[in-house]
Amino acid sequence: VRDAGEVYFDSITMLVFLLLVGRWFQQRGQRAAADSLELLFALTPATAHVVDESGEVTEEPIEAVTPGMTIEVHAGDSAPVDGVILSGTSSVDESVMTGESRPVAVSQGDRIAAGSVNIAAPIHVLAEAVGDQTRLGKVMRDIERHARLQTPVIGQADRLAGVFVVVVMALALATFAYWAPKGVEGAIEHATALLIVCCPCALALATPLVTAVSVGRAARSGVLVKGAGAFEDITKPGTVLLDKTGTLTKGTFTCVKWLGDKGCKRQAAALERGATHPIARVIASLDDDDSLDVTNVEHRTGQGVVGCVDRHRVCVGSLTLMESERLAPDANLLQAATTEAAFGNTPIFVAVDEDVCAVAVLGDEIRAESRTVIERLGSMGWRVGMLSGDRQEVVNAVAAQVGIEPGLAVGGVSPEGKVERVKAFKDRGPVVMVGDGVNDASALVNASFGIALQGGAEASLAAAHSYIIDDDLEQVPEILGGARRTVSAVRRCLGVSLGYNAVAASLAAGGLLTPLVAAFLMPVSSLTVLGLALHSRTFASKQ
C-alpha cells in the first residue's frame, strides 16, 4: 500500500505450490479409482440372443432385453441375464459369483445368474432380471457407490490445519500488541517474521510426501497401492478375512492324486482330449500320447464321457456314470474316493471295459505358504478367518490344514453374505479382506482395507485398496506392517513440523528473528520432512 518495505511473494507461491501438490496426489487417486470402475461392466455380454415366439433367434443389444424374454445362451458364452432355464441341460461355471471353479450341472427349472459361463451345451433362459437389476449388477453398483464415498482420508495434517492457522494468527496479533508500545515498525517486523517462519508448508507436505514415498516402495516390493489413505484405519490389529479359492488355494483344478491302476491314465487322457470342460482338460493333460485311436465318443452332461480307445470301451466320469453303465468299483477304491470327496476334492472314476480301474482325484491345491502367512498374521495380533462360497465341510477341511479356528471358517457364503460378515466384524475393529474374485469385490470395498491378488477378476482389483502383483500371499503381512510404518512416519513428520513451528514462533515472538532470517529458516522444516520421508522404512524393496 505504501510502496515501501519487503514483499514476501516467495513464501506465498511456495505455500500454494506445496498445497496443490498434496491436492494433486489426492485427485489422481480419485481419478484412477473412477477409471477402474468402468472396467467392472465388462463381465457380462453387451448383446443377447433373443428367441421370439416363432423360435427365431436374433441378436439384440442388452439394453433392449426386458424381463420375460427368452434368451439363448450358447456353449462358451456368459449369461447376459438372471433367469430360469426353460430347456436344455449343461454345466455352468458360476465362479463369477461364487468364486468356486468347480462347474455345476444345470437343467430345466434351475436358476442361472448373469455372468455365469455356459460350458457344455446351449440352453434357453427366461429372463427375470437384466442389467443393474441382476445380482452381478447390484454388486457392481455397491462397489461404485462405496468407491465414490471413499474420498481420500482427511489425515492429521488437515485436521490440524484449522487450529494451526488460528493459533498462528493469534500469536501474530499478540506479538504485534506486545511490541507496539515500543514502536509500530518493530511490532510489524516481529509479527511478520512470525507469520513467515510459521508457514504450514511442512505440515501440508508431510502426508502426501510420506504416502508417495511409501506407495513407490510398495510397488517395488510387488504391491500396488491405490488406497493409502486407508492405512490409518488398520494401524491397530483386528480381523483378516481370507477368501478360499484362489487365495488360500491356487484356484485351479489339478490332479492331486491318482488312485488305482496308472496304466489306464493314457486311455483316459486320450478320451478327454479335445473336450472343453475344465475337468476334461485336467484329465487330458495327464498324458500327451496322441497315438491312440479314439472313436464313438459320447459326452454325457453332468456325468462324464464314454468312448472306444484302441477298441477298448473306456468310461471317465462320476460315480453316477459308472452306475448308469452298470460298473461297480471295488470297496477299497470307493472308500478312498468317498474320503477324498469329504475333503472337498472331486473323484473322477476311470473304467476300461468292465473294470473300474482307477480314480483321478481333482482338487484345488492349497498354497504352500498359506499356513505360514496365517501364523505370521496371528503373531502380529490379527485374528484370521475364512469366507467361502464352497460347502462348509470343504471349508472346515481347508481351515484345519492352514490353521484357522473352526468358528472363523464360514462356508456357503454368497457375495452379499460376505458383505454382511465384513460389516459385522467391523463393529469389533478393523477388517482386512483378502480375495481375488468378483464375488469378493463388494466385500473388498466394504472392508477397512481390501487386498486383491493379481490374476483375479478386474472387479476385485478395481474395488481393492491394494493388489499383489506376483500373486504372493506372503505379501499380506508385509502390507499390514508397511501400512503401520507409513502412518508412524506421517505422525513423526507432523511432530517434527509442529515442534519446529513451536520453537520458531517462540523466537519470532521474542524479537530474535528478522523477516529475512525467518524467510531463510522457513524451508528448513520442509527439507526436514523431506529427509524423514525419504529415509522412512515403510516397505522393504525386493532385491
Side-chain angles (χ1 to χ4, degrees), residues 470-482:
D470 52 4
D471 201 28
D472 182 5
L473 191 63
E474 290 182 333
Q475 290 283 15
V476 172
E478 297 294 335
I479 292 173
L480 300 183

Side-chain angles (χ1 to χ4, degrees), residues 21 33 35 84 130 132 136 143 170 303 403 487 530 542:
V21 167
D35 291 343
V84 178
V130 183
D132 62 1
L136 184 61
I143 293 169
Q303 294 185 4
V487 173
L530 177 64
K542 287 186 176 180

Side-chain angles (χ1 to χ4, degrees), residues 153 225 227-240 380 382 426 429-433 447-451 465-466 476-487 491 539:
V153 173
V225 179
F231 280 173
E232 198 171 2
D233 297 333
I234 55 172
T235 52
K236 294 180 180 179
T239 307
V240 176
M380 294 168 66
W382 291 86
K426 280 182 78 173
V431 174
V432 175
M433 179 69 197
S448 307
F449 196 84
I451 302 174
H465 297 86
S466 69
V476 172
E478 297 294 335
I479 292 173
L480 300 183
R484 188 181 66 251
R485 291 188 292 272
T486 299
V487 173
R491 290 173 178 168
F539 287 85

Side-chain angles (χ1 to χ4, degrees), residues 202 205-206 209-210 213 493 496 523-536:
L205 188 64
L209 183 59
V210 174
V213 172
C493 289
V496 168
V524 171
S525 61
S526 299
L527 292 173
T528 304
V529 167
L530 177 64
L532 289 172
L534 292 176
H535 289 87
S536 59

Side-chain angles (χ1 to χ4, degrees), residues 236-240 374-384:
K236 294 180 180 179
T239 307
V240 176
I374 290 169
E375 289 174 353
R376 284 186 62 192
L377 290 171
S379 67
M380 294 168 66
W382 291 86
R383 297 175 69 211
V384 183

Side-chain angles (χ1 to χ4, degrees), residues 511-523:
L512 301 177
L513 292 181
T514 65
L516 183 61
V517 174
F520 176 78
L521 292 177
M522 187 264 289

Side-chain angles (χ1 to χ4, degrees), residues 139-371:
V139 169
M140 297 309 159
R141 280 192 294 142
D142 184 59
I143 293 169
E144 183 173 15
R145 180 171 60 85
H146 280 85
R148 292 187 185 280
L149 292 174
Q150 276 184 358
T151 52
V153 173
I154 299 174
Q156 289 172 304
D158 287 339
R159 291 196 290 270
L160 289 169
V163 176
F164 181 87
V165 171
V166 171
V167 169
V168 169
M169 294 299 292
L171 286 174
L173 288 173
T175 300
F176 177 80
Y178 175 79
W179 289 100
K182 302 176 183 179
V184 175
E185 290 290 339
I188 292 176
E189 182 173 310
H190 298 326
T192 303
L194 189 146
L195 288 172
I196 292 172
V197 81
C198 289
C199 173
C201 295
L203 205 61
L205 188 64
T207 301
L209 183 59
V210 174
T211 300
V213 172
S214 178
V215 167
R217 288 187 174 156
R220 287 194 294 274
S221 72
V223 176
L224 299 184
V225 179
K226 75 170 191 182
F231 280 173
E232 198 171 2
D233 297 333
I234 55 172
T235 52
K236 294 180 180 179
T239 307
V240 176
L241 298 175
L242 300 159
D243 176 44
K244 180 181 75 70
T245 305
T247 303
L248 287 172
T249 66
K250 294 184 177 179
T252 56
F253 261 146
T254 58
C255 184
V256 294
K257 289 181 183 177
W258 183 275
L259 306 175
D261 183 12
K262 294 184 179 180
C264 58
K265 188 182 295 186
R266 290 174 60 247
Q267 293 159 306
L271 183 63
E272 295 282 21
R273 193 168 292 119
T276 58
H277 195 284
I279 290 178
R281 288 199 295 266
V282 175
I283 300 295
S285 68
L286 298 178
D287 193 279
D288 57 2
D289 184 1
D290 57 359
S291 64
L292 300 180
D293 182 34
V294 181
T295 57
N296 301 325
V297 178
E298 179 187 353
H299 294 277
R300 299 187 184 176
T301 304
Q303 294 185 4
V305 61
V306 177
C308 291
V309 180
D310 277 355
R311 299 181 182 180
H312 293 281
R313 182 170 174 78
V314 179
C315 303
V316 180
S318 65
L319 184 60
T320 305
L321 176 65
M322 300 297 117
E323 291 171 348
S324 69
E325 292 292 314
R326 297 182 180 180
L327 300 172
D330 65 61
N332 292 334
L333 204 59
L334 184 60
Q335 179 60 42
T338 304
T339 302
E340 292 296 337
F343 280 99
N345 294 324
T346 302
I348 302 297
F349 293 85
V350 179
V352 178
D353 294 327
E354 301 299 320
D355 177 34
V356 180
C357 55
V359 173
V361 180
L362 307 188
D364 188 2
E365 190 178 353
I366 295 175
R367 293 174 184 262
E369 69 272 21
S370 292
R371 189 175 188 90

Side-chain angles (χ1 to χ4, degrees), residues 97-98 135 388-389 411-421 439:
M97 290 304 295
T98 66
R135 284 184 65 198
S388 174
V413 188
S414 65
E416 298 85 350
K418 289 189 177 184
V419 174
E420 292 174 5
R421 297 274 179 176
N439 62 306

